Amino acid sequence: MNYIFYIAVTAILYAILTSGVNIISGRCGQITLCSAAFFALGGYATAILTKDCSLSWWIALLVSEACVVGLAYVLSQALFRVPKDQFVMLSLLLNIAVYYALARPDGLTGGAMGIVGIPPIRLGHLAIMSPAAYLFIVLLFYLAVHFLLRLVFRAPFARSLQAIREDEIFACITGKNVFWQKSHAFALMAFLSVLAGSLYVPYISYVDPNIATLGESILILSMMIIGGSGSLWGPFAGAVVLVALPELLRFVGIPFAVAANIRQILYGLALVVCMLWRPQGLIGEYAFGREPKSK
């Protein structure tokens, strides 16, 4: 039963991560490959603040959000001054830079060994240790995120992002401040990534630089594409599929060393099948990289 709880918690955390990427890449059409970097920064910040500084998880979450989202907003001022194709490369370099910064042997991050013994989330004097209780907490956070994004998707901000996605030049002509709209979307992606990272590290009581790899960012983007670009429920569907699909290998007797490679093949195969026969994803609104489907 604990194994099922672990899969459910992992899927929900990835759904939160993918929801952030869905704002900037799905709604706005600005492909980014640095979501794992903010996920890792949020996790490491929470780990250091709770373990080394003895702050409560709730205060650590607020501090992590303020610092990392502020950093994302500052970075966006430079990142969005270049064309879209160059932005993709810069976001990739940002992800790599964060990974190597976290992997340095000297410093608070612990290098490749990471940080162990991260305190759990506490509600008053009660520590959330049970897998079932943690699933309940994570689910509550996801529902809050879903409600927030539902409001965002109905706001003029979302319509501005859609206009930028369809025709950025025309959006500029009609008076949309494209630069600031993209910056706000990027900061929102960072906000949700930090939330997911802050929820992740107390659950496993450990964090290392592997959560900031480029492969993680590509996986999150793949979840958005497979689940449905621009859809409110698409990130959840994509996260469930790509988290559950590799776990099936555990039940067919494939050696662990081989299963790791097959898992990557399954990710790629699912993405190719989706792009060929279902480009709008499972429940998406847009065909990723194409014109939106007719209503």
Side-chain angles (χ1 to χ4, degrees), residues 12-264:
I12 293 173
L13 290 177
Y14 270 112
I16 295 175
L17 269 170
T18 310
S19 296
V21 175
N22 192 37
I23 294 292
I24 185 69
S25 297
R27 280 278 168 169
C28 189
Q30 189 84 46
I31 300 176
T32 178
L33 292 174
C34 61
S35 55
F38 294 114
F39 176 56
L41 289 174
Y44 268 94
T46 300
I48 293 170
L49 291 172
T50 54
K51 182 183 178 182
D52 297 338
C53 301
S54 301
L55 296 179
S56 72
W57 180 85
W58 302 93
I59 296 177
L61 173 63
L62 294 177
V63 175
S64 301
E65 289 285 11
C67 294
V68 179
V69 173
L71 174 64
Y73 205 82
V74 170
L75 289 173
S76 70
Q77 307 306 301
L79 292 175
F80 289 116
R81 296 186 185 277
V82 300
K84 285 187 175 181
D85 53 346
Q86 295 180 25
F87 171 84
V88 176
M89 296 304 299
L90 288 177
S91 68
L92 184 153
L93 292 174
L94 173 61
N95 201 105
I96 295 174
V98 169
Y99 171 80
Y100 281 107
L102 296 175
R104 290 185 58 185
D106 53 336
L108 295 174
T109 62
M113 300 300 294
I115 301 174
V116 298
I118 300 171
I121 297 176
R122 291 183 174 273
L123 295 175
H125 297 289
L126 177 64
I128 307 300
M129 304 290 291
S130 165
Y134 206 89
L135 175 60
F136 179 73
I137 293 295
V138 171
L139 185 59
L140 285 180
F141 271 100
Y142 174 73
L143 292 176
V145 168
H146 185 83
F147 177 75
L148 171 65
L149 293 181
R150 183 177 291 275
L151 296 178
V152 170
F153 278 25
R154 293 177 178 176
F157 172 65
R159 292 192 290 272
S160 297
L161 294 182
Q162 184 177 350
I164 294 170
R165 178 189 181 277
E166 298 306 318
D167 193 330
E168 186 171 324
I169 296 177
F170 183 76
C172 290
I173 294 174
T174 56
K176 306 293 184 184
N177 193 326
V178 172
F179 179 80
W180 288 108
Q181 299 286 1
K182 287 183 177 181
S183 295
H184 294 155
F186 192 73
L188 183 55
M189 180 205 72
F191 173 83
L192 295 179
S193 299
V194 171
L195 175 61
S198 297
L199 287 168
Y200 174 74
V201 294
Y203 180 58
I204 62 172
S205 189
Y206 171 72
V207 62
D208 67 14
N210 287 327
I211 66 171
T213 60
L214 180 60
E216 281 294 304
S217 288
I218 293 175
L219 174 60
I220 297 165
L221 184 64
S222 300
M223 288 177 176
M224 184 206 71
I225 296 172
I226 291 174
S229 175
S231 169
L232 188 60
W233 285 103
F236 182 82
V240 169
V241 169
L242 288 191
V243 168
L245 186 62
E247 296 301 322
L248 298 177
L249 299 176
R250 297 179 183 270
F251 303 99
V252 295
I254 299 177
F256 180 78
V258 179
N261 295 325
I262 295 179
R263 184 180 296 113
Q264 300 301 320

